[in-house]
Amino acid sequence: MPAEIKGIAPRKWQMDAVYQVRSQAQAGSDRALIYACPGSGKTYGGLMVAHDLVHTVGLGPKIVVVTPNEAIRTQWIDRAASIGLNLRHLRSGYDLRQEELALSELGFIVSYQKAVTEIRESLRDYCERNRPVVIFDEVHHAAGPSKKKDGNAWGHSIEYAFSTAAFKLCTTGTPFREGDNPISFVSYNGAQEAIALVRYSYQQAIEDGVCRPIEFTMFDGEMSWSAAGQSFTASFGDPLNKKRSGQRLLAAIAVDGEFPQTMLTKANERLMELRSGAGVDARAAGLVVAHDTDHAEAIAMELQAITGEPATVVHSKIDDAQKQIEAFREGNSPWIVGVAMLSEGVDIPRLRVGVYASNITAPLYFHQYCGRFSRVMKSRHERSYVFMPADPELEAIALQIERERCHALGEEYRPHLRTVGNGKGRCRREIEVLNSNGDVKGVTVSGKMLPITFIEAHRDQIRSFRQKGAQYATWTDAEVVGVMIDCGAIAMPEEAA
């Protein structure tokens, strides 16, 4: 049995992780990779594994946790404290030069940035002297240098500081960074694929009732913009090269057009429907991820115009951003807007609705963003809803998530059908929007695209079906139609078959 941690009832995958990592360590290995999807309990899982390595295997006896940012660091400290494990925020190398921590303290916690830029030598000395167990949270941040411009050069510094640690426990909730950036302390097979000792996927988490399924609503439209003296007009269905595709996405999310207003309005309608329910749904919240800090502020103004109340805004230029996040987590405000600091790792369980208004199309980033909406709070039927541009790269990632969702719920997956909507667009500084327009076309449920006209035509039947059970009260019309189709109450429309 694993060493007992007071106040926690382990999930099955967490227990499996403890046993598998223990066996790996007892066989002489000094590292392991755990992949567990966002919302599945990766933080508690990591603490359980590290605790077992110390108290059962006999490593350590202290632990060092390395996290991507301050918000995630605070969550690790809070999670550890909730089960009687105390982590000290590592503020400087002086903390490491003390002979020992207080008996009540499990170890230190530090950000990747501080570890590689400020106290690398102190950490190396501490690891040589104390041989701690180190947890690398979201280990893709420890990628090595690359010839590419976007290479993450922290990898060598991480290896230098922590190579002598007794055990390196790497965790991640998302697919790894693509390209030729090797990740510190991660083993690879002959095909250069990362080898995870423990895998707990989004599909498994939905099957176990651990994570919410996510329903995507995609928006399309005709964006017109100019750049470098040339004018362009395109929808997301038009083939473009990478440069023009990026400009099209920027034109769509910019707030001086109508595209983002359309997404925000539809998303807010869904959020208000959820908040009209009882219990935790009454505190349901929405998250918009923006392109940059100026864009976030502009999005917040658009939301205020739609909702009549100010949205919480957090980004790197706000001094008390972490306090704002914590206040929003515990509060009742409907919307929060941010940039990168909200897209990864930040745990706000009441988030149910998202608007993806970023120009980043990397799978890792998008998966992390979707992970903000996956934690179950009330019932297995809980769903989250993400409203997003129908950019081809983003659509491909969303459809992969949809594939896992459908498989987990026993629903049919139809890869050629998708949630589609339309709106108007705006640009960023290097392009100028000339014109844009569009309308909502449909919603995807159970892997099927249902046209809005089909849903409208069955409005009376939807209303009657809702009266059959209270559980349908907060379901969307599309969700109810999906159930009606599955039970044979209405037929699948030809255009969706």
Side-chain angles (χ1 to χ4, degrees), residues 38-53:
S40 63
K42 177 167 57 67
T43 301
Y44 281 128
L47 287 168
M48 291 176 61
V49 171
H51 186 266
D52 187 75
L53 288 173

Side-chain angles (χ1 to χ4, degrees), residues 154-177:
W154 286 358
H156 285 334
S157 290
I158 291 293
E159 290 185 359
Y160 177 85
F162 296 103
S163 60
T164 58
F167 200 90
K168 298 88 173 173
L169 179 63
C170 304
T171 71
T172 184
T174 55
F176 282 147
R177 183 185 300 271

Side-chain angles (χ1 to χ4, degrees), residues 62-66 88-101 105-111 114-116 118-134 161-162:
K62 296 301 181 181
I63 294 171
V64 177
V65 181
V66 190
R88 180 193 295 182
H89 174 204
L90 184 52
R91 300 180 185 279
S92 70
Y94 176 79
D95 291 337
L96 293 169
R97 290 191 292 272
Q98 304 306 298
E99 286 301 316
E100 61 182 24
L101 290 159
E105 291 177 319
L106 175 71
F108 294 106
I109 186 164
V110 64
S111 69
K114 183 181 286 291
V116 303
E118 299 179 28
I119 57 173
R120 187 180 69 159
E121 294 295 338
S122 296
L123 281 167
R124 180 178 176 85
D125 179 64
Y126 180 81
C127 288
E128 288 176 344
R129 288 187 291 108
N130 295 279
R131 300 270 293 159
V133 171
V134 180
F162 296 103

Side-chain angles (χ1 to χ4, degrees), residues 345-366:
V346 174
D347 181 22
I348 305 174
R350 66 190 188 94
L351 289 176
R352 293 288 300 278
V353 176
V355 177
Y356 193 82
S358 172
N359 69 326
I360 298 176
T361 58
L364 186 150
Y365 189 87
F366 187 76

